[in-house]
Amino acid sequence: MLVDSPPEQRAETAPAPPTRRAIRALGLLVSVAILVLVALASIAIGAKELSMGQVWHGLFEDSGTYGDVVVTERLWRTLLGLLAGAALGLSGAVLQALTRNPLADPGLLGINAGASAAVVTAMTYFGVTSLTGYVWFAFLGAAAVGALVWFLGGSRGATPVRLALAGTAISAALYGYLQAVMITNEAALGKMRFWTVGSLSSASESSILQVLPFLAVGTVLALALARPLNAMEMGDDTAKALGANLNRTRALSMLAATVLCGAATAACGPIVFVGLMVPHVVRSFTGPDLRWIMPYATVLSPVLLLGADVIGRIVARPSELQVGIVTAILGGPVFIFLVRRRRTAQL
């Protein structure tokens, strides 16, 4: 005859339900697996159709025709997409926390516009045409705009609203300048038009090596700011009570976002919506904790960027559609959906 155990004993022997932390960790591992699959697809799929055997041969055995296609045209752009996507997603997460605006992106503080204006100036007036030449102009433009936004936003007395307003005003002025340059200088129009839509096709080993140190520094700095930014999202008074240094955190957040976004823009051109969509969507299932939002955004943003790049290669064969155009096409409807859902939730 079987005798049931007391309820207390059954409760002790029953397996504990998975914790929220364990579920988040499992989700992050799944996200990494998805990223690996998308990266492999980016290497295997392109405007020129190759079999898997040809891709393998070009990647590991051949330095001729297949090697040129797989390594020169696909492998380096895949690596650049991984790095640039992670940088855009991470900078978006930082700026959304800094401004307390879940729909903020790197363009909100004028960082994209500053890098773009500097590169277009270098192309038009200084004859610079290669990444080696204009990467430093992009960083200079991004840094100058970041410093200007910080100054106009009140410097030590900066608030999220002031920073957002200053960034929006500067972005509008700089994009007006970009349009004026492209209209009045026909000789440089072709070069600028290709760069300003955002593309991974100019990726090379040298371009990756140039931006890699900046991306590494920006990533480490952004991840280190997760805890103080968490405190700041609860309000300035609460953050001060928890020991957060508001001015230092805001200044370092601006620096991290500027370095990350400036490096990505220098290598790929301005790519929209990646830094907005991914951190916002991630927040919906991780909660507001940046210690989880940042890693998820770092992994899933390259998924979006590389996925858009693969789509651009397929839909326009034998040519290709630039990744900046694809992310804009995909991002517009998603942004409208996010805004409407946020408005509905508030009602």
Side-chain angles (χ1 to χ4, degrees):
M1 181 176 178
L2 298 176
V3 179
D4 288 340
S5 301
E8 295 80 1
Q9 184 176 349
R10 290 202 303 269
E12 291 177 359
T13 58
T19 64
R20 186 177 179 86
R21 184 184 182 88
I23 293 174
R24 287 170 173 170
L26 178 61
L28 190 58
L29 291 176
V30 172
S31 300
V32 171
I34 294 173
L35 176 59
V36 172
L37 292 176
V38 174
L40 292 176
S42 178
I43 296 173
I45 301 173
K48 181 179 178 61
E49 294 190 46
L50 297 176
S51 67
M52 292 303 299
Q54 291 170 331
V55 171
W56 180 270
H57 189 65
L59 192 59
F60 295 105
E61 301 174 10
D62 180 28
S63 59
T65 303
Y66 298 147
D68 289 341
V69 173
V70 176
V71 176
T72 306
E73 297 183 12
R74 296 184 187 177
L75 178 61
W76 295 124
R77 74 188 291 168
T78 299
L79 292 176
L80 181 59
L82 289 170
L83 295 173
L88 293 172
L90 193 54
S91 63
V94 170
L95 291 176
Q96 287 178 10
L98 177 65
T99 61
R100 298 177 199 158
N101 181 357
L103 295 178
D105 74 336
L108 181 66
L109 297 185
I111 297 171
N112 273 345
S116 300
V119 170
V120 167
T121 300
M123 289 179 175
T124 306
Y125 299 112
F126 298 101
V128 179
T129 57
S130 66
L131 175 65
T132 304
Y134 62 65
V135 63
W136 297 107
F137 283 90
F139 278 118
L140 179 62
V145 169
L148 184 58
V149 168
W150 177 251
F151 174 76
L152 295 178
S155 188
R156 290 185 175 275
T159 64
V161 174
R162 288 179 179 177
L163 291 173
L165 289 175
T168 301
I170 293 173
S171 293
L174 289 177
Y175 280 123
Y177 164 76
L178 290 174
Q179 295 300 318
V181 171
M182 286 191 286
I183 290 173
T184 57
N185 193 315
E186 295 184 3
L189 178 60
K191 295 179 292 184
M192 292 186 297
R193 182 174 54 191
F194 179 81
W195 186 83
T196 53
V197 297
S199 172
L200 298 177
S201 60
S202 61
S204 65
E205 183 179 5
S206 62
S207 65
I208 292 174
L209 291 176
Q210 284 186 41
V211 300
L212 185 59
F214 298 96
L215 293 175
V217 171
T219 298
V220 171
L221 180 57
L223 293 175
L225 291 169
R227 190 178 296 274
L229 283 173
N230 271 342
M232 286 180 59
E233 283 199 316
M234 294 185 288
D236 289 355
D237 293 337
T238 303
K240 289 179 181 178
L242 293 174
N245 187 318
L246 302 184
N247 292 326
R248 182 177 63 189
T249 301
R250 287 178 180 139
L252 292 177
S253 298
M254 286 285 296
L255 177 61
T258 298
V259 171
L260 289 169
C261 187
T265 304
C268 309
I271 297 176
V272 298
F273 285 118
V274 175
L276 183 154
M277 285 192 296
V278 176
H280 183 84
V281 172
V282 164
R283 184 182 293 267
S284 67
F285 60 81
T286 64
D289 191 347
L290 285 164
R291 293 173 297 178
W292 288 102
I293 293 175
M294 287 183 175
Y296 267 100
T298 303
V299 172
L300 292 178
S301 294
V303 171
L304 173 60
L305 188 60
L306 288 176
D309 190 43
V310 171
I311 292 172
R313 297 182 224 172
I314 295 174
V315 298
R317 279 177 173 171
S319 183
E320 65 179 60
L321 199 61
Q322 304 304 318
V323 66
I325 298 175
V326 179
T327 57
I329 294 173
L330 297 175
V334 173
F335 180 72
I336 294 172
F337 169 76
L338 293 175
V339 171
R340 287 182 61 85
R341 189 181 70 169
R342 179 172 171 80
R343 182 180 177 184
T344 303
Q346 289 176 342
L347 294 176

